[in-house]
Amino acid sequence: TDADLTIGTKINVWGREVTICDMDEFTAHHYNSKFGMAKPTPIHYKQTDAAKTEREIPPYNGWGSEEDSRANCLKLIAQAPKRDFIKFMKKDRQGLDSHVLRFFARLDTNRPIDMDRTFIISFFLSDDTISVFEPEKRNSGIVHGKFIERSKIKKPSGEYYQAEDIFVGAVVNFRSHQFVITDADEYALSYAEKHQD
């Protein structure tokens, strides 16, 4: 009955023990008029700001993009991370301007089997993503094709690679693979000349 439900009472709700902590003014008036009972002192149940623990984001496990994994940790219903739409529209393909910087590279290694391998590194200006492709080389015994899928890649320092970090002669580290940039296509060279600052 309603006499059993007072502040401090513990009740079983679908197998869970719930404590009644407070009541509204209408309920307090009802108990006062029916049972002659004054409103008891509410039980403090809200967590203080000082007691709140900061949410800890687990380390990136390598599946999907890091931004996507982080977004899944912040919300119960997963949402795709938001992109810079204005930058995407400015740097998306327009006519003959691809807004993709392509570089030729080789692995920085002493292993004989890997020394002759060549790669095409593409830097997409629209979203600062990088992809690495290995062209076919007949009778090499190495599977050609996509080497690193298009995604944002972090430097060993923890910052993301930007367009100014990739140039002819640079040594870059993509997912524990070190590449030496040996050449660039015409668009990448003209872009570098226009954006020397």
Side-chain angles (χ1 to χ4, degrees):
T1 64
D2 54 351
D4 300 321
L5 301 177
T6 58
I7 293 176
T9 303
K10 294 185 178 180
I11 57 173
N12 188 299
V13 180
W14 297 104
R16 296 185 180 192
E17 192 176 75
V18 177
T19 304
I20 298 175
C21 299
D22 201 357
M23 62 176 70
D24 62 7
E25 290 302 321
F26 178 81
T27 308
H29 178 71
H30 170 75
Y31 275 85
N32 190 15
S33 61
K34 186 173 182 181
F35 303 108
M37 184 174 63
K39 183 179 177 181
T41 307
I43 297 172
H44 183 72
Y45 66 94
K46 288 188 177 178
Q47 195 177 27
T48 60
D49 291 337
K52 287 181 181 176
T53 55
E54 193 172 333
R55 182 177 294 164
E56 190 175 329
I57 304 295
Y60 177 55
N61 61 6
W63 291 95
S65 69
E66 190 166 352
E67 293 82 13
D68 196 37
S69 298
R70 184 179 177 85
N72 290 341
C73 296
L74 297 176
K75 296 199 176 180
L76 186 62
I77 299 173
Q79 291 182 346
K82 292 182 179 178
R83 296 186 177 183
D84 188 345
F85 185 73
I86 295 172
K87 181 178 180 180
F88 176 78
M89 291 304 292
K90 283 183 180 177
K91 299 291 185 178
D92 194 21
R93 184 179 185 96
Q94 298 168 355
L96 296 176
D97 290 337
S98 65
H99 294 293
V100 179
L101 309 181
R102 288 185 178 84
F103 301 89
F104 301 96
R106 62 175 176 81
L107 282 172
D108 188 14
T109 179
N110 292 326
R111 293 181 59 197
I113 194 169
D114 292 333
M115 289 177 73
D116 292 333
R117 295 173 72 180
T118 56
F119 299 88
I120 298 172
I121 296 173
S122 300
F123 186 92
F124 297 85
L125 296 169
S126 60
D127 56 2
D128 298 334
T129 53
I130 298 170
S131 70
V132 181
F133 181 84
E134 184 170 10
E136 182 179 7
K137 192 172 278 189
R138 292 174 65 92
N139 298 327
S140 66
I142 296 171
V143 179
H144 63 279
K146 190 189 299 178
F147 190 77
I148 295 177
E149 191 170 357
R150 179 178 174 178
S151 61
K152 283 190 171 185
I153 300 178
K154 282 189 173 181
K155 304 179 199 175
S157 63
E159 299 171 355
Y160 286 109
Y161 275 101
Q162 299 297 323
E164 57 268 18
D165 299 319
I166 306 172
F167 51 89
V168 176
V171 178
V172 293
N173 190 318
F174 296 161
R175 310 251 169 91
S176 302
H177 296 283
Q178 279 208 328
F179 295 93
V180 179
I181 309 296
T182 56
D183 202 356
D185 67 358
E186 283 186 29
Y187 181 78
L189 293 173
S190 64
Y191 181 87
E193 286 179 8
K194 292 175 185 176
H195 300 83
Q196 288 183 1
D197 53 343

